Amino acid sequence: ATPTAVMVATGKGASQGVLIKGGNALEKAHKVKAIIFDKTGTLTVGKPSVVQTKVFSNIPLLELCDLAAGSEANSEHPLSKAIVEYTKKLREQYGSHSDHMMESKDFEVHPGAGVSANVEGKLVLVGNKRLMQEFEVPISSEVEGYMSETEELARTCVLVAINRTICGALAVSDPLKPEAGRAISYLTSMGISSIMVTGDNWATAKSIAKEVGINTVFAEIDPVGKAEKIKDLQMQGLTVAMVGDGINDSPALAAADVGLAIGAGTDVAIEAADIVLMRSSLEDVITAIDLSRKTLSRIR
Ligand code: ADP
Ligand code: MG
């Protein structure tokens, strides 16, 4: 495309909330054959909330949540925020007016797994199966059962272990964006295939994919793994786009031929991307590709 055509398209995009960072992204977007979508915060709203709780020992629910929230208090992860928020609501229900979180020490983030901290002298682990395995916490068949029950409902099951015993679990739900299904089926009609990649577990990932109409799923993938999936597709000769919102998506956004960041996402993702979707709507993935297709056909 001529510099003028690029300028016109960039301006048009900007007026629709699609920020295209350079001519290169615009030139490549019309060739895209496959799009990899992150799940949390990209296909889903990214505002998870606790919808169910389960206690496996004789600990009171409020104490379980207080300890879990204490461990999550210093984390920016959407799951952490959901747990802290739920705990605050629970306290109100129990008639407590204090907003004060339990103090924690030795807080650590385990990417793609959860958090650990010392809360009131107890080792409190909050996260998935992988986190429990890392700390050699046994998982009973009762816990396994609750996990699969939860995950089949497209919810994420967050386990809470206190001093290396799983004492409870929180089922967290993050609804699909309302336009997600429509956007995916429109992309299919444009000859573009959609793929989902997530750090979340297989069962939850598959049920979300089914809901949104995506057939190809890769779950339990770490940030480096997400970028590798992009490279695999590129090796097959495909021009690949990636849509993501998180720090954990930035290597993939950089590896993709066209990286699209959700505007509501983290700064790191926005920096790594070629195109920023300011309205955070998945329909703007189509807007971006359309703009590229039109710009490049005009000069042909
Ligand atoms: P995604 O790729 O879906 O954005 P992440 O890589 O951030 O997900 O996390 C993958 C999984 O690791 C989550 O589904 C959850 O099971 C677990 N996890 C990560 N961070 C936390 C946390 N702060 N608290 C509890 N669980 C967590
Ligand atoms: Mg995400």
Side-chain angles (χ1 to χ4, degrees):
T2 64
T4 317
V6 170
M7 237 177 68
V8 170
T10 307
K12 207 177 213 176
S15 73
Q16 294 176 70
V18 175
L19 300 189
I20 303 166
K21 289 193 196 163
N24 196 30
L26 190 71
E27 304 253 357
K28 278 187 177 165
H30 79 287
K31 287 191 240 164
V32 165
K33 285 285 174 300
I35 306 187
I36 295 203
F37 289 91
D38 159 59
K39 177 175 74 69
T40 316
T42 300
L43 291 171
T44 67
V45 175
K47 289 221 169 60
S49 60
V50 176
V51 292
Q52 200 184 53
T53 55
K54 178 90 177 167
V55 176
F56 297 112
S57 62
N58 52 12
I59 186 173
L61 177 64
L62 183 59
E63 191 182 335
L64 176 86
C65 290
D66 263 334
L67 289 167
S71 190
E72 294 272 21
N74 296 311
S75 158
E76 287 295 303
H77 200 282
L79 285 174
S80 313
K81 289 184 185 163
I83 292 166
V84 170
E85 199 150 296
Y86 178 78
T87 303
K88 284 182 179 165
K89 265 193 237 147
L90 202 63
R91 281 195 190 169
E92 273 171 34
Q93 276 175 29
Y94 280 72
S96 160
H97 297 289
S98 149
D99 236 16
H100 192 71
M101 282 290 129
M102 281 186 175
E103 300 281 334
S104 77
K105 283 189 301 190
D106 309 327
F107 166 71
E108 252 180 84
V109 173
H110 306 264
V115 296
S116 64
N118 183 314
V119 187
E120 310 231 298
K122 298 177 181 87
L123 172 65
V124 182
L125 308 173
V126 190
N128 56 22
K129 209 170 170 173
R130 208 184 320 162
L131 183 74
M132 300 305 152
Q133 284 160 350
E134 213 175 291
F135 283 83
E136 291 174 351
V137 175
I139 300 173
S140 69
S141 54
E142 189 191 9
V143 173
E144 292 272 10
Y146 182 73
M147 279 173 67
S148 27
E149 219 175 274
T150 304
E151 289 163 0
E152 266 154 38
L153 294 168
R155 296 167 176 171
T156 299
C157 186
V158 178
L159 303 171
V160 183
I162 301 165
N163 290 336
R164 290 194 161 79
T165 301
I166 297 179
C167 294
L170 308 170
V172 182
S173 167
D174 182 10
L176 271 182
K177 286 183 179 168
E179 78 283 8
R182 213 174 337 133
I184 300 298
S185 68
Y186 196 83
L187 287 168
T188 309
S189 76
M190 291 170 84
I192 297 170
S193 54
S194 297
I195 297 161
M196 185 172 106
V197 180
T198 179
D200 207 346
N201 72 86
W202 274 99
T204 309
K206 276 190 192 159
S207 81
I208 291 271
K210 195 173 168 197
E211 229 180 297
V212 78
I214 291 183
N215 299 319
T216 313
V217 184
F218 299 101
E220 299 176 20
I221 304 275
D222 66 12
V224 177
K226 287 189 180 185
E228 277 165 4
K229 288 291 167 213
I230 307 257
K231 288 175 196 151
D232 286 350
L233 291 168
Q234 287 170 333
M235 294 279 274
Q236 297 170 31
L238 297 173
T239 301
V240 184
M242 163 82 198
V243 190
D245 73 313
I247 300 171
N248 53 356
D249 298 320
S250 48
L253 286 167
D257 295 290
V258 184
L260 299 104
I262 300 294
T266 59
D267 293 346
V268 188
I270 289 170
E271 261 163 47
D274 307 295
I275 298 177
V276 186
L277 309 176
M278 296 308 291
R279 296 191 297 203
S280 301
S281 164
L282 294 171
E283 280 183 340
D284 286 338
V285 174
I286 298 158
T287 310
I289 292 171
D290 256 350
L291 207 54
S292 169
R293 286 188 176 184
K294 285 186 182 126
T295 308
L296 282 116
S297 66
R298 198 177 294 150
I299 55 124
R300 240 180 249 142

